[in-house]
Amino acid sequence: GLKSGEMRYGVDYTAAAGTRVVAPEAGTVIFCGERPGLGCVIEIRHDEGFVSRLCFGAPSVRTELVLDRHVNKGDTVAVLPETEGAKESVLHYELIIGGIPYNPLFYLPAQ
């Protein structure tokens, strides 16, 4: 939806700094680095052609991922960083299918 007049694709999750971020499904790391406006970004391509994009807003996030590394569902891919002046950090999660962003809530199992 819209945030500050700008369309945002995906979902924001808040959690305490130091919280582990895990791979939502098995796949291969296709990007791990900084992107303008998104901070540190991790992209994982899954077998079905879906890409999970995990954005941290901060330029440096603790991760040991490298390109072309295979990750399993539930593997730790990063740790939420401390955000200056905030008690919680934000993880922005997008799901990309065929280059088009979709709301990941339609694809995640009900909890």
Side-chain angles (χ1 to χ4, degrees), residues 23-74:
E25 286 293 334
T28 302
V29 176
I30 60 172
F31 184 84
C32 184
E34 191 172 346
R35 289 218 169 121
L38 297 175
C40 182
V41 174
I42 297 170
E43 292 182 350
I44 302 168
R45 181 182 303 121
H46 307 291
D47 292 338
E48 299 80 21
F50 292 48
V51 173
S52 287
R53 179 180 291 156
L54 308 167
C55 307
F56 298 90
S60 60
V61 170
R62 200 169 82 212
T63 182
E64 296 179 11
L65 294 180
V66 293
L67 291 180
D68 297 325
R69 176 180 166 202
H70 178 80
V71 293
N72 293 310
K73 180 178 182 175

Side-chain angles (χ1 to χ4, degrees), residues 1-8:
L2 292 175
K3 184 175 182 180
S4 301
E6 187 176 319
M7 180 56 104
R8 303 243 323 177

